[in-house]
Amino acid sequence: MRSGTRSKSARWSALGRFALMVSMALTLVGVVGGSPAWAKAKAKPKPIPMNLEIYQGSYYTWLAYLAQAKGFFAQNGIDATIIPITAGGPVAFAALANGGADVAMGDLSLAGPLLEHGQPLTAISGAVAAAWELIAPSNSSVPVSYPAGIKALQGQPVGVVALGSSSYDYLQLLVKAAGLGASGVNYTALGGLVANFVSALGANRVAAAMVSPDAAYYLTQDLGDKLVFNLNDPAELKKVGGILGSVAGKSDGLMWARTPWLTAHPGAAKDFQLAMEETDVWMHNPKNLNQVISLLGAEHDLATFEQGPGAKKFFAYALPDIISYVPKGSAKAYMNFWVKSGLLANSIPQKQWFSSTIPSSAAQVVGAVKAAGKGSLGKKA
């Protein structure tokens, strides 16, 4: 009897242990509807950290800022930290070079010299199709025709963002093209804030200044200042001819990333580009205009003239310049441009610095957004 009892107990104990093991296995596997939970749900990849530089108060980085503010970076797996910059491109690209930032906006005049010295940078998106405009005060006697307007500035102070900035490089080219020689005017650094240029022109501390198109809008439309030369006008560039004429209709407003950051995060260029494309389509959807203005205003990224009753008129003027694509042939044209200007010693092969993920037309941007299942964002870019 004692032996039989032990055998029965052992059998129940074995069954109990088996049941417990099955229960534990089911708990660990997580059976849901006959399939393990891990087979049903994909693990979310860890977000890519990114330090992103924004030119505060300038529309050159509206697109990137809105990609962050509206959540398009986050939706595409990028965890962006905004770094506000008010000192202009040279400071932004110094941060890229020393690893203090991962992505910044600029053109080849800023990136090219770094590339030439072996700094690993890659253009990963368009940002804005706009260059500089040369503005003189309303009470100035400077002519508004070329080359007379440039020649009239000989020996006088002319404002730029910073020495070594693209505004400085373009002004040098204009001055040389007008026959004055590179040192024909006194280059005066005013910093990156629009208010600095408004103040300098208003007080006649400079005879003219190279300003961004959004600032030029306010200065000419609201204050009555004079547009001496518009680097955004293909007809004016062609009139000048030479290397300036060679980039008429092209765009050099790019978002640049540290190549080591891209290497450390495979797919980052593609994810960044898609976020910019989705933002591009969203912000060009008329029904989102009020939200665009509100988001930019909340970040103090809009001057007072870009808000209030005149805001919609201003945005109708400015938004066409904000693009995530780079028009076909632009990269080659601008590389040749900066080599011929003397800024770069040699042409750098495009495949070494220009990402293949960058679209070349608005249609391609809209197509990419639709392909990503986000066609409801809008129909144009």
Side-chain angles (χ1 to χ4, degrees):
M1 287 291 293
R2 291 171 61 187
S3 175
T5 302
R6 283 199 302 271
S7 178
K8 186 175 180 181
S9 249
R11 285 198 300 272
W12 280 111
S13 179
L15 286 171
R17 287 197 300 273
F18 176 75
L20 179 61
M21 289 171 65
V22 170
S23 174
M24 289 174 65
L26 290 175
T27 300
L28 289 170
V29 170
V31 172
V32 180
S35 298
W38 48 261
K40 288 242 176 186
K42 289 183 178 179
K44 263 192 167 183
K46 190 175 179 181
I48 297 170
M50 175 183 69
N51 289 323
L52 172 67
E53 296 183 295
I54 295 294
Y55 299 131
Q56 204 164 21
S58 169
Y59 87 151
Y60 287 144
T61 46
W62 275 0
L63 191 59
Y65 171 71
L66 288 172
Q68 167 70 347
K70 188 58 183 170
F72 291 110
F73 280 141
Q75 291 170 29
N76 285 282
I78 295 175
D79 180 14
T81 297
I82 296 293
I83 302 173
I85 294 286
T86 58
V91 171
F93 276 71
L96 273 187
N98 65 29
D102 300 311
V103 178
M105 183 269 162
D107 63 14
L108 268 170
S109 73
L110 295 166
L114 293 174
L115 290 169
E116 203 165 44
H117 286 86
Q119 187 69 38
L121 299 176
T122 304
I124 57 173
S125 172
V128 61
W132 301 94
E133 300 185 27
L134 184 61
I135 304 293
S138 58
N139 60 0
S140 169
S141 61
V142 173
V144 294
S145 61
Y146 178 87
I150 308 299
K151 289 181 176 180
L153 297 172
Q154 186 170 11
Q156 299 192 61
V158 181
V160 295
V161 173
L163 302 183
S165 67
S166 62
S167 59
Y168 168 80
D169 291 325
Y170 276 108
L171 180 57
Q172 276 197 319
L173 292 175
L174 272 176
V175 169
K176 286 193 288 187
L180 295 184
S183 59
V185 303
N186 294 324
Y187 303 92
T188 304
L190 297 177
L193 294 176
V194 171
N196 295 351
F197 288 80
V198 175
S199 173
L201 287 165
N204 291 109
R205 292 200 308 272
V206 293
M210 294 285 274
V211 305
S212 57
D214 53 338
Y217 175 92
Y218 172 63
L219 290 164
T220 58
Q221 300 295 313
D222 290 12
L223 300 185
D225 287 341
K226 301 162 70 171
L227 175 59
V228 179
F229 193 88
N230 187 358
L231 284 158
N232 298 292
D233 186 342
E236 287 202 45
L237 291 175
K238 288 177 181 177
K239 182 179 179 181
V240 176
I243 58 172
L244 282 167
S246 72
V247 293
K250 306 299 182 185
S251 175
D252 196 24
L254 305 169
M255 298 300 298
W256 293 84
R258 290 188 308 111
T259 307
W261 177 75
L262 295 174
T263 303
H265 304 288
K270 185 178 179 181
D271 294 339
F272 183 94
Q273 179 64 54
L274 183 56
M276 293 285 276
E277 289 167 346
E278 290 173 352
T279 309
D280 189 349
V281 171
W282 173 80
M283 75 182 298
H284 285 95
N285 187 334
K287 74 176 186 179
N288 297 324
L289 180 57
N290 288 335
Q291 194 175 357
V292 169
I293 296 171
S294 176
L295 286 171
L296 290 170
E299 181 59 16
H300 307 294
D301 209 26
L302 292 179
T304 53
F305 70 87
E306 297 166 336
Q307 305 175 58
K312 290 189 177 179
K313 182 181 177 183
F314 167 75
F315 272 82
Y317 156 86
L319 280 179
D321 287 341
I322 312 299
I323 58 173
S324 60
Y325 62 93
V326 178
K328 189 175 181 180
S330 293
K332 181 179 180 180
Y334 271 98
M335 179 57 72
N336 292 336
F337 174 83
W338 292 115
V339 170
K340 289 179 180 178
S341 75
L343 183 71
L344 302 178
N346 297 291
S347 180
I348 303 167
Q350 187 172 320
K351 64 182 180 181
Q352 292 183 18
W353 58 272
F354 192 84
S355 173
S356 60
T357 63
I358 302 177
S360 61
S361 69
Q364 287 183 10
V365 171
V366 174
V369 171
K370 285 183 178 178
K374 299 287 187 68
S376 61
L377 290 173
K379 297 180 180 179
K380 64 178 183 177

